[in-house]
Amino acid sequence: MPIKEGDYVLIVGDGVRSVIKVARGSRISTIRGVINADDIINQEYGTLIKTNLGYDLAVLRPLITDILLERADRVTQVIYPKDAAQIIINAGIGPGSRVAEAGVGSGFMTAMLAYYVRPNGRVYGYDKREDAISIARKNLEMLGLLDWVELKLRDVISDGFLERDLDAVILDMGDPWNAIPRATEALRFDGVLVVYVPTVNQVIKVLRAMSDYGYVDVRMFDVMVREWKTEPDEVRPQTWVNAHTGYILIGRRTLRPIAQPTK
Ligand SMILES: C[S@@+](CC[C@H](N)C(=O)[O-])C[C@H]1O[C@@H](n2cnc3c(N)ncnc32)[C@H](O)[C@@H]1O
């Protein structure tokens, strides 16, 4: 399908990498010169366009992660794709999954969940902050993923989740241990609880609560991705790495009655 006005495109080459929304009549400036948006419209994705300085840049269909990282607004810390990928795989989330998430924050994790539960799954996203819900809605709309998401302005610790028998619940909030009783009542028996926290101090409280509420097969890991330079004449790790984002804790609900913690 050819490129249309209003599409997002990824422009790549010679040190250029940016996601642009194509607007008729506009000029796209890069460090390798300028291209006219009109020269992109009606071209096939994958086409090469010459800048006014003579560089060939590729015009590609952006991946969901390209749009998220480059174009989405942020009002909170977000879950990055490297962590989202591990959460999705290890929680067994796929087409048809019904998943709740608190908090939604800027909607980064929500977007990745929505992308993978399509076409017949559903994501129930909760946040107690109105600004977070509205930025998340805007980001999901931009990505075309809102059809798979229900966003709810609600405090999950005091008011709980509205769904039951969920396949997975994901908690990314300051005090997730306080939301574990509510997450547990929303999960199906043997459903997957995922908790994402940045500090070890939080990890300890989460592990205690998971044990109290009868979770089994509890695992914890963090994710290091080391990017490498891919210049054929200089293949080596990049100089700077992101050393830490967060810890991922995953466990399975059991039939233990939720009103009776073990300790
Ligand atoms: C770090 S952000 C979540 C980021 C999000 N996962 C993302 O990838 O964009 C934490 C969010 O949790 C929300 N939150 C904290 N406590 C909450 C509660 N009790 N109920 C609902 N949302 C809560 C906050 O308002 C905040 O927006």
Short mmCIF file of all heavy atoms in Angstrom, two decimals, residues 8-65:
data_model
loop_
_atom_site.label_atom_id
_atom_site.label_comp_id
_atom_site.label_asym_id
_atom_site.label_seq_id
_atom_site.Cartn_x
_atom_site.Cartn_y
_atom_site.Cartn_z
N TYR A 8 2.49 7.83 9.39
CA TYR A 8 3.80 7.98 10.02
C TYR A 8 4.80 7.18 9.19
O TYR A 8 4.50 6.06 8.77
CB TYR A 8 3.79 7.46 11.45
CG TYR A 8 3.07 8.41 12.39
CD1 TYR A 8 1.74 8.21 12.74
CD2 TYR A 8 3.74 9.51 12.91
CE1 TYR A 8 1.08 9.10 13.59
CE2 TYR A 8 3.09 10.40 13.76
CZ TYR A 8 1.76 10.19 14.09
OH TYR A 8 1.13 11.07 14.91
N VAL A 9 5.96 7.78 8.94
CA VAL A 9 7.01 7.05 8.23
C VAL A 9 8.30 7.12 9.04
O VAL A 9 8.52 8.08 9.79
CB VAL A 9 7.27 7.63 6.81
CG1 VAL A 9 6.07 7.41 5.90
CG2 VAL A 9 7.66 9.09 6.85
N LEU A 10 9.14 6.10 8.88
CA LEU A 10 10.45 6.08 9.52
C LEU A 10 11.49 6.39 8.45
O LEU A 10 11.57 5.67 7.45
CB LEU A 10 10.70 4.69 10.13
CG LEU A 10 12.09 4.45 10.72
CD1 LEU A 10 12.35 5.34 11.93
CD2 LEU A 10 12.25 2.98 11.12
N ILE A 11 12.22 7.47 8.67
CA ILE A 11 13.24 7.86 7.68
C ILE A 11 14.61 7.48 8.24
O ILE A 11 14.96 7.88 9.35
CB ILE A 11 13.14 9.37 7.39
CG1 ILE A 11 11.75 9.62 6.81
CG2 ILE A 11 14.23 9.83 6.45
CD1 ILE A 11 11.48 11.01 6.38
N VAL A 12 15.34 6.69 7.46
CA VAL A 12 16.59 6.10 7.98
C VAL A 12 17.71 6.19 6.96
O VAL A 12 17.49 5.99 5.77
CB VAL A 12 16.38 4.59 8.27
CG1 VAL A 12 17.63 4.00 8.91
CG2 VAL A 12 15.21 4.34 9.17
N GLY A 13 18.93 6.43 7.47
CA GLY A 13 20.12 6.34 6.62
C GLY A 13 21.16 7.35 7.01
O GLY A 13 20.82 8.46 7.43
N ASP A 14 22.46 6.97 6.91
CA ASP A 14 23.56 7.90 7.16
C ASP A 14 23.41 8.69 8.46
O ASP A 14 23.59 9.91 8.48
CB ASP A 14 23.69 8.88 5.98
CG ASP A 14 24.47 8.26 4.84
OD1 ASP A 14 25.64 7.87 5.06
OD2 ASP A 14 23.90 8.13 3.74
N GLY A 15 23.05 7.98 9.53
CA GLY A 15 22.93 8.65 10.85
C GLY A 15 21.58 9.27 11.10
O GLY A 15 21.31 9.78 12.18
N VAL A 16 20.69 9.24 10.10
CA VAL A 16 19.34 9.78 10.28
C VAL A 16 18.43 8.64 10.75
O VAL A 16 18.50 7.53 10.21
CB VAL A 16 18.78 10.34 8.95
CG1 VAL A 16 17.32 10.77 9.11
CG2 VAL A 16 19.65 11.47 8.45
N ARG A 17 17.61 8.89 11.75
CA ARG A 17 16.59 7.92 12.15
C ARG A 17 15.49 8.69 12.83
O ARG A 17 15.59 9.07 13.99
CB ARG A 17 17.17 6.87 13.11
CG ARG A 17 16.26 5.68 13.28
CD ARG A 17 16.83 4.58 14.17
NE ARG A 17 16.13 3.32 13.94
CZ ARG A 17 14.89 3.08 14.35
NH1 ARG A 17 14.22 3.99 15.04
NH2 ARG A 17 14.32 1.91 14.07
N SER A 18 14.41 8.99 12.10
CA SER A 18 13.32 9.70 12.77
C SER A 18 11.97 9.34 12.18
O SER A 18 11.85 8.94 11.02
CB SER A 18 13.54 11.21 12.73
OG SER A 18 13.68 11.64 11.43
N VAL A 19 10.97 9.45 13.06
CA VAL A 19 9.60 9.13 12.67
C VAL A 19 8.88 10.45 12.39
O VAL A 19 8.86 11.36 13.21
CB VAL A 19 8.86 8.37 13.80
CG1 VAL A 19 7.41 8.13 13.42
CG2 VAL A 19 9.56 7.05 14.08
N ILE A 20 8.30 10.54 11.19
CA ILE A 20 7.67 11.78 10.73
C ILE A 20 6.24 11.49 10.32
O ILE A 20 5.96 10.44 9.75
CB ILE A 20 8.41 12.29 9.44
CG1 ILE A 20 9.90 12.47 9.71
CG2 ILE A 20 7.77 13.54 8.86
CD1 ILE A 20 10.24 13.61 10.61
N LYS A 21 5.34 12.43 10.61
CA LYS A 21 3.98 12.33 10.08
C LYS A 21 3.96 13.07 8.75
O LYS A 21 4.34 14.25 8.69
CB LYS A 21 3.00 12.94 11.08
CG LYS A 21 1.56 12.69 10.70
CD LYS A 21 0.63 13.13 11.82
CE LYS A 21 -0.78 12.74 11.47
NZ LYS A 21 -1.73 13.14 12.50
N VAL A 22 3.52 12.41 7.71
CA VAL A 22 3.60 13.00 6.36
C VAL A 22 2.50 14.04 6.18
O VAL A 22 1.32 13.73 6.31
CB VAL A 22 3.47 11.89 5.29
CG1 VAL A 22 3.53 12.50 3.89
CG2 VAL A 22 4.54 10.83 5.47
N ALA A 23 2.93 15.28 5.92
CA ALA A 23 1.95 16.37 5.70
C ALA A 23 2.25 17.00 4.35
O ALA A 23 3.38 17.45 4.09
CB ALA A 23 2.07 17.41 6.80
N ARG A 24 1.25 17.01 3.48
CA ARG A 24 1.43 17.54 2.11
C ARG A 24 1.99 18.96 2.16
O ARG A 24 1.58 19.77 3.00
CB ARG A 24 0.09 17.53 1.38
CG ARG A 24 0.22 17.58 -0.13
CD ARG A 24 -1.14 17.46 -0.79
NE ARG A 24 -1.68 16.11 -0.80
CZ ARG A 24 -1.28 15.14 -1.62
NH1 ARG A 24 -0.34 15.37 -2.52
NH2 ARG A 24 -1.84 13.95 -1.56
N GLY A 25 2.97 19.25 1.33
CA GLY A 25 3.53 20.60 1.23
C GLY A 25 4.63 20.88 2.25
O GLY A 25 5.25 21.94 2.20
N SER A 26 4.89 19.93 3.17
CA SER A 26 5.88 20.22 4.21
C SER A 26 7.28 19.78 3.78
O SER A 26 7.44 18.95 2.87
CB SER A 26 5.49 19.55 5.52
OG SER A 26 5.59 18.15 5.38
N ARG A 27 8.28 20.37 4.44
CA ARG A 27 9.68 19.99 4.19
C ARG A 27 10.18 19.22 5.41
O ARG A 27 9.93 19.62 6.54
CB ARG A 27 10.52 21.25 4.00
CG ARG A 27 10.32 21.92 2.65
CD ARG A 27 10.68 23.40 2.70
NE ARG A 27 12.02 23.64 3.21
CZ ARG A 27 13.14 23.62 2.48
NH1 ARG A 27 13.06 23.34 1.19
NH2 ARG A 27 14.31 23.86 3.02
N ILE A 28 10.87 18.13 5.17
CA ILE A 28 11.37 17.31 6.28
C ILE A 28 12.87 17.54 6.38
O ILE A 28 13.62 17.20 5.46
CB ILE A 28 11.06 15.81 6.02
CG1 ILE A 28 9.53 15.62 5.89
CG2 ILE A 28 11.62 14.93 7.12
CD1 ILE A 28 9.12 14.28 5.30
N SER A 29 13.29 18.17 7.50
CA SER A 29 14.72 18.48 7.67
C SER A 29 15.41 17.37 8.42
O SER A 29 14.91 16.88 9.43
CB SER A 29 14.87 19.76 8.50
OG SER A 29 14.40 20.83 7.77
N THR A 30 16.58 16.97 7.93
CA THR A 30 17.38 15.96 8.62
C THR A 30 18.82 16.46 8.66
O THR A 30 19.16 17.45 7.98
CB THR A 30 17.36 14.60 7.87
OG1 THR A 30 18.23 14.71 6.73
CG2 THR A 30 15.98 14.21 7.42
N ILE A 31 19.68 15.75 9.42
CA ILE A 31 21.10 16.16 9.44
C ILE A 31 21.76 15.90 8.09
O ILE A 31 22.89 16.33 7.86
CB ILE A 31 21.88 15.45 10.57
CG1 ILE A 31 21.72 13.93 10.47
CG2 ILE A 31 21.47 15.95 11.94
CD1 ILE A 31 22.72 13.15 11.31
N ARG A 32 21.11 15.18 7.19
CA ARG A 32 21.66 14.91 5.85
C ARG A 32 20.92 15.70 4.78
O ARG A 32 20.95 15.35 3.59
CB ARG A 32 21.59 13.42 5.53
CG ARG A 32 22.38 12.55 6.46
CD ARG A 32 23.86 12.87 6.43
NE ARG A 32 24.60 12.04 7.36
CZ ARG A 32 25.80 12.36 7.84
NH1 ARG A 32 26.38 13.49 7.48
NH2 ARG A 32 26.43 11.56 8.67
N GLY A 33 20.24 16.76 5.18
CA GLY A 33 19.56 17.60 4.21
C GLY A 33 18.05 17.47 4.28
O GLY A 33 17.50 16.81 5.17
N VAL A 34 17.40 18.09 3.30
CA VAL A 34 15.94 18.23 3.34
C VAL A 34 15.30 17.36 2.27
O VAL A 34 15.84 17.21 1.17
CB VAL A 34 15.59 19.73 3.10
CG1 VAL A 34 14.09 19.92 3.00
CG2 VAL A 34 16.17 20.59 4.21
N ILE A 35 14.12 16.79 2.60
CA ILE A 35 13.30 16.14 1.57
C ILE A 35 11.90 16.74 1.61
O ILE A 35 11.46 17.22 2.66
CB ILE A 35 13.24 14.59 1.72
CG1 ILE A 35 12.99 14.17 3.15
CG2 ILE A 35 14.46 13.92 1.20
CD1 ILE A 35 13.03 12.67 3.37
N ASN A 36 11.24 16.73 0.50
CA ASN A 36 9.87 17.26 0.44
C ASN A 36 8.90 16.12 0.69
O ASN A 36 9.00 15.06 0.06
CB ASN A 36 9.59 17.87 -0.94
CG ASN A 36 10.45 19.09 -1.16
OD1 ASN A 36 10.60 19.92 -0.26
ND2 ASN A 36 11.04 19.19 -2.35
N ALA A 37 7.93 16.39 1.59
CA ALA A 37 6.93 15.35 1.91
C ALA A 37 6.19 14.93 0.63
O ALA A 37 5.86 13.76 0.46
CB ALA A 37 5.96 15.87 2.95
N ASP A 38 5.97 15.86 -0.30
CA ASP A 38 5.23 15.53 -1.52
C ASP A 38 5.95 14.46 -2.36
O ASP A 38 5.31 13.73 -3.12
CB ASP A 38 5.01 16.79 -2.37
CG ASP A 38 4.03 17.74 -1.70
OD1 ASP A 38 3.61 17.45 -0.55
OD2 ASP A 38 3.68 18.77 -2.31
N ASP A 39 7.28 14.37 -2.20
CA ASP A 39 8.04 13.36 -2.96
C ASP A 39 7.86 11.96 -2.36
O ASP A 39 8.21 10.96 -2.99
CB ASP A 39 9.53 13.71 -2.99
CG ASP A 39 9.77 15.01 -3.76
OD1 ASP A 39 8.90 15.39 -4.56
OD2 ASP A 39 10.83 15.64 -3.53
N ILE A 40 7.34 11.91 -1.12
CA ILE A 40 7.13 10.61 -0.46
C ILE A 40 5.73 10.08 -0.74
O ILE A 40 5.53 8.87 -0.90
CB ILE A 40 7.31 10.78 1.08
CG1 ILE A 40 8.76 11.12 1.42
CG2 ILE A 40 6.86 9.55 1.83
CD1 ILE A 40 8.99 11.33 2.90
N ILE A 41 4.77 11.01 -0.79
CA ILE A 41 3.37 10.60 -0.95
C ILE A 41 3.21 9.79 -2.25
O ILE A 41 3.76 10.16 -3.29
CB ILE A 41 2.44 11.84 -0.92
CG1 ILE A 41 2.48 12.46 0.49
CG2 ILE A 41 1.01 11.49 -1.30
CD1 ILE A 41 1.81 13.80 0.63
N ASN A 42 2.48 8.68 -2.14
CA ASN A 42 2.21 7.74 -3.24
C ASN A 42 3.40 6.83 -3.59
O ASN A 42 3.28 6.01 -4.50
CB ASN A 42 1.72 8.44 -4.52
CG ASN A 42 0.33 9.01 -4.30
OD1 ASN A 42 -0.45 8.43 -3.55
ND2 ASN A 42 0.04 10.15 -4.91
N GLN A 43 4.52 6.99 -2.88
CA GLN A 43 5.64 6.05 -3.09
C GLN A 43 5.37 4.79 -2.28
O GLN A 43 4.61 4.80 -1.31
CB GLN A 43 6.96 6.66 -2.60
CG GLN A 43 7.36 7.92 -3.31
CD GLN A 43 7.83 7.66 -4.74
OE1 GLN A 43 8.34 6.59 -5.04
NE2 GLN A 43 7.60 8.63 -5.61
N GLU A 44 6.04 3.69 -2.64
CA GLU A 44 5.94 2.46 -1.84
C GLU A 44 6.86 2.56 -0.63
O GLU A 44 7.93 3.19 -0.71
CB GLU A 44 6.39 1.25 -2.69
CG GLU A 44 5.45 0.88 -3.80
CD GLU A 44 4.05 0.50 -3.32
OE1 GLU A 44 3.94 -0.13 -2.26
OE2 GLU A 44 3.07 0.85 -4.01
N TYR A 45 6.44 1.93 0.51
CA TYR A 45 7.35 1.83 1.66
C TYR A 45 8.60 1.09 1.21
O TYR A 45 8.52 0.13 0.45
CB TYR A 45 6.69 1.09 2.81
CG TYR A 45 5.70 1.96 3.56
CD1 TYR A 45 4.34 1.86 3.34
CD2 TYR A 45 6.16 2.88 4.50
CE1 TYR A 45 3.44 2.66 4.03
CE2 TYR A 45 5.27 3.68 5.20
CZ TYR A 45 3.92 3.57 4.96
OH TYR A 45 3.04 4.37 5.64
N GLY A 46 9.74 1.57 1.69
CA GLY A 46 11.01 0.95 1.31
C GLY A 46 11.72 1.76 0.25
O GLY A 46 12.87 1.48 -0.09
N THR A 47 11.04 2.79 -0.24
CA THR A 47 11.62 3.61 -1.30
C THR A 47 12.81 4.42 -0.75
O THR A 47 12.87 4.70 0.44
CB THR A 47 10.53 4.55 -1.88
OG1 THR A 47 10.96 5.04 -3.11
CG2 THR A 47 10.21 5.72 -0.97
N LEU A 48 13.74 4.78 -1.64
CA LEU A 48 14.86 5.64 -1.26
C LEU A 48 14.63 7.03 -1.84
O LEU A 48 14.31 7.16 -3.02
CB LEU A 48 16.18 5.08 -1.79
CG LEU A 48 16.63 3.75 -1.18
CD1 LEU A 48 17.83 3.19 -1.94
CD2 LEU A 48 16.99 3.92 0.29
N ILE A 49 14.77 8.05 -0.99
CA ILE A 49 14.55 9.44 -1.44
C ILE A 49 15.85 10.21 -1.25
O ILE A 49 16.50 10.08 -0.21
CB ILE A 49 13.44 10.12 -0.56
CG1 ILE A 49 12.12 9.37 -0.69
CG2 ILE A 49 13.28 11.59 -0.88
CD1 ILE A 49 11.30 9.74 -1.90
N LYS A 50 16.20 11.01 -2.26
CA LYS A 50 17.45 11.78 -2.17
C LYS A 50 17.18 13.12 -1.48
O LYS A 50 16.20 13.79 -1.78
CB LYS A 50 17.98 12.05 -3.58
CG LYS A 50 19.48 11.85 -3.66
CD LYS A 50 20.02 11.99 -5.05
CE LYS A 50 20.51 10.72 -5.70
NZ LYS A 50 21.24 9.80 -4.89
N THR A 51 18.05 13.48 -0.53
CA THR A 51 17.92 14.80 0.09
C THR A 51 18.54 15.85 -0.84
O THR A 51 19.24 15.50 -1.79
CB THR A 51 18.66 14.85 1.45
OG1 THR A 51 20.06 14.80 1.19
CG2 THR A 51 18.24 13.71 2.36
N ASN A 52 18.33 17.13 -0.49
CA ASN A 52 18.91 18.19 -1.32
C ASN A 52 20.44 18.18 -1.27
O ASN A 52 21.10 18.77 -2.11
CB ASN A 52 18.37 19.56 -0.90
CG ASN A 52 18.78 19.93 0.52
OD1 ASN A 52 19.00 19.04 1.34
ND2 ASN A 52 18.90 21.20 0.80
N LEU A 53 21.01 17.42 -0.27
CA LEU A 53 22.48 17.32 -0.18
C LEU A 53 23.00 16.05 -0.86
O LEU A 53 24.19 15.74 -0.79
CB LEU A 53 22.92 17.34 1.29
CG LEU A 53 22.55 18.61 2.08
CD1 LEU A 53 23.06 18.52 3.52
CD2 LEU A 53 23.13 19.87 1.42
N GLY A 54 22.07 15.28 -1.47
CA GLY A 54 22.51 14.13 -2.26
C GLY A 54 22.57 12.81 -1.50
O GLY A 54 23.09 11.82 -2.01
N TYR A 55 22.04 12.76 -0.26
CA TYR A 55 22.04 11.49 0.49
C TYR A 55 20.77 10.71 0.19
O TYR A 55 19.69 11.29 0.10
CB TYR A 55 22.10 11.76 2.00
CG TYR A 55 23.43 12.29 2.46
CD1 TYR A 55 23.67 13.67 2.48
CD2 TYR A 55 24.44 11.43 2.86
CE1 TYR A 55 24.90 14.16 2.91
CE2 TYR A 55 25.67 11.92 3.29
CZ TYR A 55 25.89 13.29 3.30
OH TYR A 55 27.12 13.77 3.71
N ASP A 56 20.89 9.38 0.08
CA ASP A 56 19.71 8.52 -0.09
C ASP A 56 19.19 8.09 1.28
O ASP A 56 19.92 7.44 2.04
CB ASP A 56 20.09 7.27 -0.88
CG ASP A 56 20.17 7.57 -2.37
OD1 ASP A 56 19.42 8.44 -2.83
OD2 ASP A 56 21.01 6.94 -3.05
N LEU A 57 17.94 8.42 1.59
CA LEU A 57 17.34 7.99 2.86
C LEU A 57 16.19 7.04 2.55
O LEU A 57 15.41 7.26 1.62
CB LEU A 57 16.82 9.21 3.64
CG LEU A 57 17.88 10.27 4.01
CD1 LEU A 57 17.23 11.40 4.81
CD2 LEU A 57 19.02 9.65 4.80
N ALA A 58 16.09 5.97 3.36
CA ALA A 58 15.01 4.99 3.16
C ALA A 58 13.77 5.46 3.91
O ALA A 58 13.85 5.99 5.02
CB ALA A 58 15.45 3.63 3.69
N VAL A 59 12.61 5.26 3.29
CA VAL A 59 11.34 5.62 3.92
C VAL A 59 10.61 4.32 4.23
O VAL A 59 10.21 3.59 3.32
CB VAL A 59 10.49 6.52 3.00
CG1 VAL A 59 9.26 7.01 3.74
CG2 VAL A 59 11.32 7.70 2.50
N LEU A 60 10.47 4.02 5.53
CA LEU A 60 9.95 2.73 5.97
C LEU A 60 8.66 2.89 6.77
O LEU A 60 8.39 3.97 7.30
CB LEU A 60 10.97 2.02 6.87
CG LEU A 60 12.42 1.95 6.35
CD1 LEU A 60 13.31 1.29 7.38
CD2 LEU A 60 12.48 1.18 5.04
N ARG A 61 7.94 1.77 6.89
CA ARG A 61 6.77 1.74 7.77
C ARG A 61 7.31 1.62 9.20
O ARG A 61 8.04 0.65 9.49
CB ARG A 61 5.96 0.48 7.42
CG ARG A 61 4.52 0.51 7.80
CD ARG A 61 3.81 -0.74 7.29
NE ARG A 61 3.31 -0.61 5.93
CZ ARG A 61 3.73 -1.25 4.86
NH1 ARG A 61 4.72 -2.12 4.94
NH2 ARG A 61 3.20 -1.07 3.68
N PRO A 62 7.02 2.56 10.12
CA PRO A 62 7.60 2.43 11.46
C PRO A 62 7.00 1.27 12.23
O PRO A 62 5.82 0.94 12.05
CB PRO A 62 7.24 3.76 12.14
CG PRO A 62 6.21 4.39 11.30
CD PRO A 62 6.20 3.74 9.96
N LEU A 63 7.81 0.65 13.08
CA LEU A 63 7.28 -0.38 13.99
C LEU A 63 6.57 0.35 15.13
O LEU A 63 6.81 1.53 15.38
CB LEU A 63 8.42 -1.23 14.55
CG LEU A 63 9.31 -1.90 13.50
CD1 LEU A 63 10.42 -2.69 14.18
CD2 LEU A 63 8.48 -2.81 12.59
N ILE A 64 5.75 -0.38 15.88
CA ILE A 64 5.03 0.24 17.00
C ILE A 64 6.03 0.86 17.98
O ILE A 64 5.81 1.94 18.53
CB ILE A 64 4.09 -0.77 17.70
CG1 ILE A 64 3.45 -0.13 18.91
CG2 ILE A 64 4.77 -2.04 18.04
CD1 ILE A 64 2.66 -1.06 19.79
N THR A 65 7.18 0.19 18.18
CA THR A 65 8.17 0.72 19.13
C THR A 65 8.80 2.01 18.60
O THR A 65 9.14 2.90 19.38
CB THR A 65 9.26 -0.33 19.40
OG1 THR A 65 9.67 -0.88 18.15
CG2 THR A 65 8.74 -1.44 20.28
#
